[in-house]
Amino acid sequence: MSGVTLEHVSKVFGNVRGVDDVHVEIKPGEFFTFLGPSGCGKTTTLRMIAGFYYPSAGRILFGDRDVTALPPNKRNTGMVFQNYALFPHMSVFENIAFGLQVRKLPRPQIKEKVERALSLVHLSGYGNRRIDQLSGGQQQRVALARALVIEPQILLLDEPLSNLDAKLREETRFEIKRLQLELGITTIYVTHDQAEAMSMSDRIMVMNGGVVQQIGTPDEIYNRPLNRFVATFIGETNLWEGTVVGIDSGEARIEVAPELVLTGRVQNASPACQLKVGQKTAISIRPEFIREAKPDDQHNVVKGNIIVSEFTGASVNYVTEVGGNRLRAMFVNQGHRVRQRGEELALHIPTESIYFVG
Ligand SMILES: Nc1ncnc2c1ncn2[C@@H]1O[C@H](COP(=O)(O)OP(=O)(O)O)[C@@H](O)[C@H]1O
Ligand SMILES: [Mg+2]
């Protein structure tokens, strides 16, 4: 098992910078995810790791070994593609055995390894089925078995769940995570789905326009986003624009609308955001941190009329209009009466829940 290092890796296609100066160290045994919208450079980065693309600049290392110039078949990576790329006319067994036959392993050894891979993905007994006789979820597991059968040192997964329906996607999430923990294999996972990334990953690299936006654990990128892009792409948030009007004893006051000043903590500013009086900045407030105001709340109390009231069972979501801004608040359902559209709601935004994103 080895880690993967990308050293200032870029990939240029004509005049498009598909991937721009990505620098990251993925640890041995880590479940590491590339997350970002379509076209942000996830697949291109993964393909460079697999050896299908040669970087325009930078180096790629597996452990201490420089693999930048190695062809894919010399890298010992297992890859699962978005569309599975299985051979439809071949049996499950033949599909999984393919990589071993190419490596010219003896027949009994191939059989043993394929059986083991099938059992790993809970498909024992399916060897003789044809691919077109399988459900989408089963095909996905065959693709996984095919990637694992060569005993790769690194597993690469490119949006492996995107062709599955919502329920199956959730089940398969846990299945992949279970396998990764069982095998302890360094895994690089590509997705545009932030919930998927958050629930599966040890660490996440958020990308946009070929550029790394933030690298961190799921709670770091959710709770301490480095910029507006990360704050809005990961989860739901209220992103408000404002001007800093005062800084005093570790607290910053920010005017978000005429006569509406909120107080946040200076320590909750992203490193890229140097707070000073007069500066314009955006703040991010997660809906679940907002509370209903109590009579003794001193500041950060905002009143507004409900414009959306949503009851999901587990939660009650309200959107109110406050000083020209919309504020989304989420309360855990505790069986109280659900307030309706048009009613006034007084909300408290806790000081520590305001995050300055610059
Ligand atoms: N073979 C290629 N030729 C030209 N442009 C490409 C090629 N592959 C990817 N790109 C461009 O590089 C950018 C990143 O693409 P990609 O890595 O596929 O994004 P993602 O997987 O995040 O959706 C996009 O702008 C895409 O159009
Ligand atoms: Mg892609």
Side-chain angles (χ1 to χ4, degrees):
M1 187 172 44
S2 66
V4 176
T5 304
L6 303 181
E7 271 184 14
H8 298 288
V9 168
S10 296
K11 180 70 183 172
V12 180
F13 301 104
N15 53 11
V16 175
R17 289 191 82 79
V19 172
D20 195 357
D21 197 29
V22 170
H23 191 79
V24 61
E25 273 179 47
I26 298 161
K27 296 173 203 146
E30 195 169 22
F31 194 113
F32 193 93
T33 297
F34 300 164
L35 172 66
S38 173
C40 75
K42 306 181 294 293
T43 295
T44 304
T45 309
L46 202 69
R47 291 181 78 91
M48 288 192 283
I49 296 169
F52 298 122
Y53 284 155
Y54 190 77
S56 312
R59 294 201 308 160
I60 297 172
L61 294 97
F62 291 177
D64 296 332
R65 183 160 156 250
D66 186 338
V67 299
T68 316
L70 278 189
N73 58 354
K74 296 269 162 58
R75 294 195 185 196
N76 199 21
T77 58
M79 182 139 171
V80 176
F81 299 89
Q82 185 166 354
N83 57 5
Y84 316 144
L86 297 168
F87 304 114
H89 56 283
M90 288 179 6
S91 71
V92 168
F93 184 96
E94 288 164 339
N95 265 279
I96 299 172
F98 188 78
L100 301 174
Q101 280 157 357
V102 171
R103 285 170 171 76
K104 305 219 180 327
L105 258 69
R107 185 102 197 129
Q109 213 177 326
I110 292 182
K111 190 158 167 19
E112 189 196 314
K113 283 180 188 286
V114 173
E115 294 301 339
R116 201 179 327 138
L118 278 172
S119 124
L120 216 47
V121 299
H122 297 165
L123 279 181
S124 293
Y126 280 76
N128 292 327
R129 293 271 191 108
R130 270 191 10 218
I131 295 301
D132 53 15
Q133 293 172 320
L134 300 179
S135 70
Q138 290 168 333
Q139 291 187 26
Q140 200 276 342
R141 284 191 272 157
V142 174
L144 206 52
R146 187 182 54 178
L148 291 171
V149 79
I150 59 164
E151 291 163 33
Q153 55 174 335
I154 296 148
L155 180 61
L156 306 173
L157 303 159
D158 193 353
E159 313 232 10
L161 308 184
S162 58
N163 288 345
L164 305 179
D165 61 49
K167 187 162 155 37
L168 199 53
R169 211 180 306 151
E170 200 157 317
E171 283 171 24
T172 316
R173 243 193 229 177
F174 292 110
E175 193 68 2
I176 291 177
K177 187 69 199 171
R178 172 188 67 79
L179 264 175
Q180 191 263 342
L181 289 172
E182 202 172 306
L183 301 172
I185 188 173
T186 309
T187 299
I188 305 177
Y189 190 91
V190 162
T191 183
H192 65 272
D193 181 329
Q194 48 98 14
E196 213 170 278
M198 299 279 282
S199 63
M200 298 175 85
S201 316
D202 294 319
R203 283 191 305 155
I204 297 171
M205 175 166 92
V206 183
M207 301 176 76
N208 189 32
V211 177
V212 175
Q213 305 293 308
Q214 187 165 359
I215 298 171
T217 59
D219 63 300
E220 273 166 6
I221 61 165
Y222 185 88
N223 289 330
R224 307 190 69 80
L226 278 184
N227 58 37
R228 295 172 188 221
F229 178 81
V230 178
T232 50
F233 191 75
I234 313 293
E236 271 196 81
T237 201
N238 296 287
L239 194 79
W240 284 7
E241 306 287 339
T243 306
V244 179
V245 292
I247 298 179
D248 191 14
S249 52
E251 294 191 328
R253 281 175 296 120
I254 177 165
E255 189 177 59
V256 291
E259 306 196 9
L260 181 56
V261 174
L262 299 176
T263 302
R265 296 206 174 134
V266 173
Q267 68 185 44
N268 284 348
S270 92
C273 174
Q274 300 293 326
L275 292 179
K276 49 183 187 294
V277 172
Q279 186 202 337
K280 292 197 185 314
T281 181
I283 53 171
S284 166
I285 307 158
R286 297 291 185 188
E288 69 273 19
F289 290 161
I290 297 170
R291 294 195 284 99
E292 194 161 356
K294 296 193 192 80
D296 57 346
D297 284 324
Q298 296 294 318
H299 44 227
N300 290 7
V301 174
V302 294
K303 284 188 183 149
N305 286 328
I306 297 172
I307 51 177
V308 178
S309 164
E310 239 174 33
F311 179 73
T312 71
S315 69
V316 192
N317 304 316
Y318 296 114
V319 179
T320 54
E321 181 124 14
V322 178
N325 288 309
R326 294 197 159 191
L327 185 64
R328 188 176 178 85
M330 188 185 111
F331 302 138
V332 172
N333 174 26
Q334 311 213 306
H336 303 313
R337 181 180 78 84
V338 176
R339 249 62 73 72
Q340 297 304 308
R341 191 182 149 83
E343 288 184 51
E344 195 191 59
L345 198 58
L347 296 167
H348 175 60
I349 302 173
T351 314
E352 64 277 11
S353 72
I354 293 180
Y355 201 74
F356 299 89
V357 288

